[in-house]
Structure formats: structure tokens, C-alpha cells
């Protein structure tokens, strides 16, 4: 029994010594300067937050080209049924359109537009008559010296003519105007002022070439619209046909104002003044147009407009003696007024 007890105590002493020795070895291995670092996993970011932060860092999209497109149809109609006050049934329609493509980047500006108008009137008891006819193309290129200046060094191109034949009603045998008879082309350089909101621009050109085209030979022979008329001998035989193109060099001033002056009321004012250096300088050709656009809703509009023209080269024709032939007189002031309600689609 004693031998068994002594053996148990000897084993316990040996195990204690071994444990102490292992502890000493571990203490010698771990230095006092060492420390245990606990690394926590990085939190997972919200996917939506990452996307929003990425979008916020992206630069805003800059658009250099802008466009405007609009087509419309104005209608006027009067109808009578057993109306004892009398009257003729009539309907008038005016088709119009305007398309713009404009470019602006830092110091450069390039504006382009195409517009047209064509109107007809049908009245009971007479033929259909034209009431309006115009095709116009404009392009202007400008460069300014710094980004805060409103003045541009500019070059301007303008072309306008009509689409269909024009008549001095009720005479419809011989047209008094046609497509490209006349046609007007203006090309020049100068300086242009443009307001910051681009509602007003004024163009001043000391050097502009004006070309007048009369491509119908009969009208050219009559010397219409300022071209050199044909030469005839004493018996009325044609010696030399009239010129179909006339070129002038002169001074041009144009102004365009377009702005919403009241709620849903937009005013457009366009004026052009031109004087030829070589032929009666100071005698000014005027083209002045004012239009008010009254917006009822997105599609329905009412239009009120006037246009005044004076050109010393445009002669007035009228049959004064009733013989069926139109006599030619000197230039006169031309004036047109319109009022219409219709549909306009912008896209």
C-alpha cells in the first residue's frame, strides 16, 4: 500500500515539473512588446450609396447643339345658310413651319433656321387664291474674344423666295412673281450683339452683297425687281434679253427680338434695313415683321401679325384702264396683316 502511494506522488510531482517547464518555455518565446491585434472585417457598403456617390462624381452632360421644330395650320372659316344679311361662304388655311439648329461652345456660335408659310383662300363663286407665300433660310456664324462678351465677329447668310406663282387677282393669265422670281440672297460680314438670354440680337454689317434673282425670262425682260430690262428696237423687236441677276454691295442692319412678354404670350419682332452703296445710297429697303403668338394649350395657338415692306426696285402693277393689261408704276409701300387660330405641333 505504501509503495502504491509513493508511486502516485512521484507521478504527480513529475507532471507538475513538466507543466512548469512548458510554461517557462512559452514565457521565453512571447516578448513583452508583442501584442495581439484583432482585425475586424470591413463593413459591407450599401449598393445604392455606392451608385449615388459614383453618379455625383461624374461631370454634368454638356449639350452644344440645340434644336427647335414647329409646324402648324391656321384656319379661318365662314359659312352661311339662309342668312338674310347675305355673305359668301369662305375658308382660309395657312400652313407654316420653323426649324432651328443652333450650336454654341465657349467662344463660338452658329445659328441656323429654315421657315416657310403658305396660305390659300377659297371663297364661294371665285377661284382659289393665294394669301401668303414665303420660304426663308438663315445662317449666322459668330466668334467672340472672351466668354463674357456679348459682341461677336460675325458672318451672315440669308436667302428668301416664294414657293408658288403670284398673281394680281383677278388676272391669273400672267403671274407677277414666281419661285426664284424674285429670290434674294444676302452674304456679309460684320458684328453681332446677342443678349445673355438670347432674346435679342442685332447684326451690323458694313459690307454685304445682295443678289436679286429673277429666273423667269419674261419678268426679267420687263425689268422686274430691279434687274436690267430687255432692249428692243423701234419696231418692238427684242435686241437683248433682260438680265436675270442683279448684284449690289451695301450696308445691312438686322434685329431679332423674341420673348414671352406675358404668360403664354410670345412676341417676335424682326426688322431688316439695307442700303446699296453704288445705287442711291441712303435709299433704304425695309422688311419689318411683328408676330404675337398666343398659346391656348400645348397644341392650340392664336396668331396676330403684320409685315411691312418697301423696296425701291419692286414696281407696282395695276390694270387702271380695264383693258386686261397690267400697267407698271413706281414702288409703293407693301403691308400685310393676318389673324388666325390653329394647331401647332412642336417636337
Amino acid at each position: 500500500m505504501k509503495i502504491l502511494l509513493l508511486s502516485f506522488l512521484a507521478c504527480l510531482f513529475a507532471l507538475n515539473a513538466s507543466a512548469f517547464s512548458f510554461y517557462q518555455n512559452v514565457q521565453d518565446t512571447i516578448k513583452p512588446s508583442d501584442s495581439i491585434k484583432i482585425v475586424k472585417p470591413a463593413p459591407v457598403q450599401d449598393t445604392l450609396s455606392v451608385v449615388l456617390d459614383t453618379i455625383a462624381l461624374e461631370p454634368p452632360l454638356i449639350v452644344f447643339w440645340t434644336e427647335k421644330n414647329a409646324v402648324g395650320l391656321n384656319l379661318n372659316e365662314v359659312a352661311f345658310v339662309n342668312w338674310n344679311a347675305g355673305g359668301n361662304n369662305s375658308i382660309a388655311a395657312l400652313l407654316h413651319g420653323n426649324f432651328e439648329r443652333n450650336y454654341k461652345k465657349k467662344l463660338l456660335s452658329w445659328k441656323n433656321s429654315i421657315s416657310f408659310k403658305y396660305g390659300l383662300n377659297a371663297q364661294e363663286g371665285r377661284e382659289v387664291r393665294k394669301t401668303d407665300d414665303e420660304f426663308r433660310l438663315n445662317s449666322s456664324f459668330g466668334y467672340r474674344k472672351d466668354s463674357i462678351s456679348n459682341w461677336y465677329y460675325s458672318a451672315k447668310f440669308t436667302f428668301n423666295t416664294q414657293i408658288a406663282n403670284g398673281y394680281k387677282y383677278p388676272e391669273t393669265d400672267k403671274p407677277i412673281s414666281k419661285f426664284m422670281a424674285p429670290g434674294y440672297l444676302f452674304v456679309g460680314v460684320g458684328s453681332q450683339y446677342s443678349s445673355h438670354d438670347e432674346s435679342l440680337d442685332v447684326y451690323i454689317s458694313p459690307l454685304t452683297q445682295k443678289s436679286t434673282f429673277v429666273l423667269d425670262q419674261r419678268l426679267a425682260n420687263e425689268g422686274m425687281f430691279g434687274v436690267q430690262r430687255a432692249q428692243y428696237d423701234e419696231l418692238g423687236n427684242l435686241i437683248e434679253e433682260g438680265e436675270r441677276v442683279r448684284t449690289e454691295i451695301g450696308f445691312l442692319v438686322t434685329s431679332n427680338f423674341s420673348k414671352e412678354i406675358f404668360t403664354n404670350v410670345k412676341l417676335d419682332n424682326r426688322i431688316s434695313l439695307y442700303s446699296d452703296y453704288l445705287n442711291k445710297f441712303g435709299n433704304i429697303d425695309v422688311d419689318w415683321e411683328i408676330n404675337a403668338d398666343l398659346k391656348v394649350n400645348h397644341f392650340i395657338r392664336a396668331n396676330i401679325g403684320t409685315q411691312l415692306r418697301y423696296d425701291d426696285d419692286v414696281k407696282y402693277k395695276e390694270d387702271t384702264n380695264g383693258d386686261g393689261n397690267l400697267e407698271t408704276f413706281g414702288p409703293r409701300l407693301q403691308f400685310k396683316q393676318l389673324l388666325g387660330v390653329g394647331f401647332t405641333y412642336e417636337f
Side-chain angles (χ1 to χ4, degrees):
M1 187 66 181
K2 292 181 179 179
I3 296 174
L4 182 60
L5 181 61
L6 291 174
S7 299
F8 175 77
L9 292 175
C11 290
L12 184 63
F13 179 79
L15 290 173
N16 185 48
S18 299
F20 180 78
S21 177
F22 176 78
Y23 174 77
Q24 288 293 332
N25 292 333
V26 171
Q27 287 292 95
D28 294 338
T29 304
I30 301 176
K31 298 180 180 180
S33 60
D34 293 341
S35 60
I36 299 175
K37 297 181 180 180
I38 300 176
V39 179
K40 297 182 178 180
V44 179
Q45 295 185 352
D46 187 273
T47 304
L48 180 60
S49 300
V50 174
V51 173
L52 293 177
D53 292 342
T54 303
I55 295 175
L57 294 175
E58 292 181 355
L61 180 63
I62 300 176
V63 178
F64 299 115
W65 282 98
T66 59
E67 64 179 54
K68 294 180 181 180
N69 305 288
V71 291
L73 179 65
N74 293 351
L75 297 172
N76 293 291
E77 187 264 347
V78 178
F80 302 93
V81 177
N82 301 324
W83 193 253
N84 60 10
N88 289 334
N89 298 334
S90 68
I91 184 171
L94 173 65
L95 179 66
H96 59 89
N98 184 62
F99 306 91
E100 296 183 13
R101 297 293 183 273
N102 300 322
Y103 176 85
K104 189 172 184 180
K105 181 181 180 182
K106 295 182 179 179
L107 307 180
L108 299 179
S109 175
W110 186 21
K111 298 181 179 180
N112 306 276
S113 66
I114 296 176
S115 62
F116 68 87
K117 297 177 183 178
Y118 189 75
L120 294 172
N121 177 272
Q123 186 172 328
E124 186 180 11
R126 73 177 191 185
E127 75 282 358
V128 177
R129 297 184 177 185
K130 186 174 68 171
T131 58
D132 205 346
D133 190 358
E134 181 183 60
F135 176 83
R136 185 178 295 270
L137 172 64
N138 293 289
S139 181
S140 63
F141 180 84
Y143 173 81
R144 56 182 175 175
K145 61 181 180 180
D146 56 64
S147 59
I148 61 174
S149 176
N150 295 104
W151 287 94
Y152 291 80
Y153 302 104
S154 184
K156 191 177 182 70
F157 166 91
T158 301
F159 170 78
N160 64 281
T161 185
Q162 62 188 52
I163 301 171
N165 292 350
Y167 300 94
K168 183 67 177 179
Y169 295 107
E171 173 61 48
T172 57
D173 292 334
K174 294 182 179 180
I176 60 174
S177 60
K178 291 184 175 182
F179 175 74
M180 289 300 291
Y184 297 102
L185 174 66
F186 294 86
V187 180
V189 293
S191 181
Q192 181 171 342
Y193 171 85
S194 180
S195 61
H196 289 293
D197 61 357
E198 298 188 348
S199 61
L200 171 68
D201 69 74
V202 180
Y203 172 73
I204 303 173
S205 171
L207 186 62
T208 292
Q209 175 182 302
K210 175 186 177 182
S211 298
T212 303
F213 301 91
V214 183
L215 301 188
D216 180 79
Q217 194 60 58
R218 180 183 62 83
L219 294 174
N221 290 344
E222 294 177 5
M224 296 297 294
F225 311 109
V227 298
Q228 183 65 43
R229 64 183 304 153
Q231 301 295 323
Y232 298 89
D233 60 17
E234 296 179 353
L235 299 178
N237 297 316
L238 179 65
I239 300 175
E240 183 179 357
E241 290 188 334
E243 296 181 354
R244 300 200 293 176
V245 180
R246 180 187 181 186
T247 302
E248 304 171 71
I249 299 294
F251 190 92
L252 176 67
V253 177
T254 65
S255 175
N256 292 277
F257 175 78
S258 180
K259 192 171 185 178
E260 187 176 16
I261 56 176
F262 302 108
T263 303
N264 294 331
V265 178
K266 183 182 178 182
L267 180 68
D268 292 312
N269 180 72
R270 178 184 60 82
I271 187 169
S272 173
L273 307 173
Y274 180 81
S275 184
D276 180 25
Y277 287 131
L278 305 178
N279 183 28
K280 299 180 181 179
F281 180 70
N283 188 12
I284 301 175
D285 297 338
V286 181
D287 188 354
W288 185 14
E289 186 174 3
I290 302 176
N291 289 292
D293 186 15
L294 290 72
K295 182 177 181 180
V296 179
N297 56 37
H298 188 68
F299 295 103
I300 300 177
R301 307 286 179 88
N303 304 100
I304 303 173
T306 62
Q307 186 170 6
L308 182 148
R309 285 180 178 176
Y310 178 81
D311 189 338
D312 190 63
D313 298 322
V314 178
K315 310 304 180 183
Y316 176 74
K317 285 195 168 189
E318 186 176 3
D319 183 8
T320 57
N321 52 20
D323 62 354
N325 296 319
L326 297 175
E327 288 78 37
T328 303
F329 300 91
R332 294 189 182 181
L333 192 67
Q334 305 171 56
F335 183 77
K336 179 180 66 177
Q337 185 272 332
L338 61 91
L339 170 62
V341 178
F343 304 92
T344 299
Y345 176 62
E346 296 180 346
F347 57 97

